[in-house]
Amino acid sequence: MLIRKPAATRKAEIVEAALRLADELGPDRLTTEAIAGAVGLTQPAIFRHFPTKQDLWEAVGARIGELMEERWAAVPADEGRATDRVRALVATQLGLIQATPAIPAILFSRELHVENQGLRRAFLELMSRFHRLIAGLLAQARDDGELCPELDPDDLAALVIGLPPGLAVRWSLSDRGFDLGEEGRRLLELQLRGFTSEATRRSS
Amino acid sequence: MLIRKPAATRKAEIVEAALRLADELGPDRLTTEAIAGAVGLTQPAIFRHFPTKQDLWEAVGARIGELMEERWAAVPADEGRATDRVRALVATQLGLIQATPAIPAILFSRELHVENQGLRRAFLELMSRFHRLIAGLLAQARDDGELCPELDPDDLAALVIGLPPGLAVRWSLSDRGFDLGEEGRRLLELQLRGFTSEATRRSS
DNA sequence: TTGCTAAGTGAGTGATTACTAACTTAATGG
DNA sequence: CCATTAAGTTAGTAATCACTCACTTAGCAA
């Protein structure tokens, strides 16, 4: 018959289905009916786990944050050159967008901006932390003589973190017609090369 | 009493209102009722001008394309250094996003991606033309000795056109808490500087 | 084995929304 | 000044959707 699962498990299933369907249908067209169907439940069952749809969006937002942090954490913190760690961190962002393509649309969706200011601020905080992380690594790279010393690591980091979403626009418009990770890595090389100090460039 | 306007004028008013409201309410929450209210008409009047809501979205999309082209065309084609024209073109993109902040959300919206593939392709074509435009200018700059000769202008252009949307994500998450144009121009300077050939950098 | 808890269902509701049909009247050209 | 055209209105409809409520039963602990 029907298998009942503990609430925590179901909640996770629902959030995951919501993320997938938000991509397939668009964040706006995401209905509780569609989610229920994907999970294999009736529509009212969703409301047992999330009293309102906004609660569901909140959980989806939190999940995206978790996914980001998980992937950052998987990048070893203290080995290799600082620039290599920047490469790895950017690669996680590209991989995340590829695995969960609804993310850019959700970041711009008004679920986040009009409906849920708190969540918007949470994402801003997350992005700021990522910014500081990258900026710190770039500062370290600069101190190691890898990067041009007169460039501001904060500004460089802004360019680096803008790269994945900037590329995602073209990826999205092209109907995902190219490999986001591959293209992103190639462009990041170019980006980092522009920051490189002449001494290092000659020596490597 | 009620002022009647020719269909062409009303259509333009409706599209403009839709663009503004798509930002305020989100592209998803954009209802014919809200548009009608903003234009000063009753809701069914919208359907006299646009038989279906999809026709309206198509017109909105076409309008965005027009706005882009208008602004590009305003950049003088044959004066100044090639890099200065790149600066001017990027500035138009930043200005457009600032003036019509719904654009990024619309680019990712499923109105465009699931509902209206033709429009998506039109935007891709528009972006490709912009890409070629920038790449051509960068190639020219390279030939003028302004840019490092071994860098591929196509890839450099990809970084340059990704800058405005990449920055728009942060702008949006920060609740538009900084000047997009100003920040964008500063980062573009940094970006271009990375592409600059050493000879030029020393001489300027 | 049994009794309790909570996951899930069936049936429904009010609000919203894209869209229609029949009618009205402002604007325009002759 | 009048007739025609077309912009706009009033009233309504079918569909969709978030959400509710009373009820059922799977799963677990004692």
Side-chain angles (χ1 to χ4, degrees), chain A residues 23 26 28-29 110-111 113 115 120 150 155-156 162 166 172-173 175 186 190-191 193-194 198 201, chain B residues 23 26 28-29 110-111 113 115 120 150-151 155-156 162 166 172-173 186 190-191 193-194 198 201:
Chain A
D23 176 51
D28 38 321
R29 304 283 164 86
R110 296 296 141 158
E111 299 298 344
H113 287 269
E115 231 56 54
R120 198 213 78 225
E150 68 257 34
D155 282 345
L156 298 186
S172 185
L173 282 183
D175 211 15
R186 215 184 68 240
L190 208 61
Q191 183 71 271
R193 190 199 156 94
E198 333 254 313
R201 202 183 303 167
Chain B
D23 176 50
D28 39 322
R29 304 284 164 87
R110 295 298 139 158
E111 300 297 345
H113 287 270
E115 230 56 54
R120 198 214 77 225
E150 67 257 36
L151 301 177
D155 282 345
L156 299 186
S172 186
L173 282 182
R186 215 185 68 242
L190 208 62
Q191 184 71 273
R193 189 199 156 94
E198 334 255 312
R201 203 184 301 168

Side-chain angles (χ1 to χ4, degrees), chain A residues 79-92:
Chain A
E79 63 186 50
R81 285 181 304 176
T83 48
D84 280 341
R85 282 162 60 203
V86 170
R87 285 181 180 91
L89 283 169
V90 169
T92 66

Side-chain angles (χ1 to χ4, degrees), chain B residues 64-106:
Chain B
I64 292 175
E66 274 176 37
L67 285 170
M68 285 190 180
E69 299 218 52
E70 275 172 22
R71 286 176 177 248
W72 299 351
V75 175
D78 296 305
E79 63 186 48
R81 286 182 302 178
T83 48
D84 280 342
R85 282 161 60 202
V86 170
R87 286 182 180 91
L89 284 169
V90 169
T92 66
Q93 293 294 94
L94 294 165
L96 184 59
I97 295 175
Q98 246 171 337
T100 316
I103 290 177
I106 292 174

Side-chain angles (χ1 to χ4, degrees), chain A residues 169-200:
Chain A
V169 174
R170 181 154 60 93
W171 186 60
S172 185
L173 282 183
S174 76
D175 211 15
R176 299 170 193 168
F178 58 89
D179 188 300
L180 185 70
E182 209 174 292
E183 183 83 356
R185 277 189 292 275
R186 215 184 68 240
L187 292 179
L188 179 65
E189 264 344 284
L190 208 61
Q191 183 71 271
L192 289 177
R193 190 199 156 94
F195 304 161
T196 307
S197 65
E198 333 254 313
T200 317

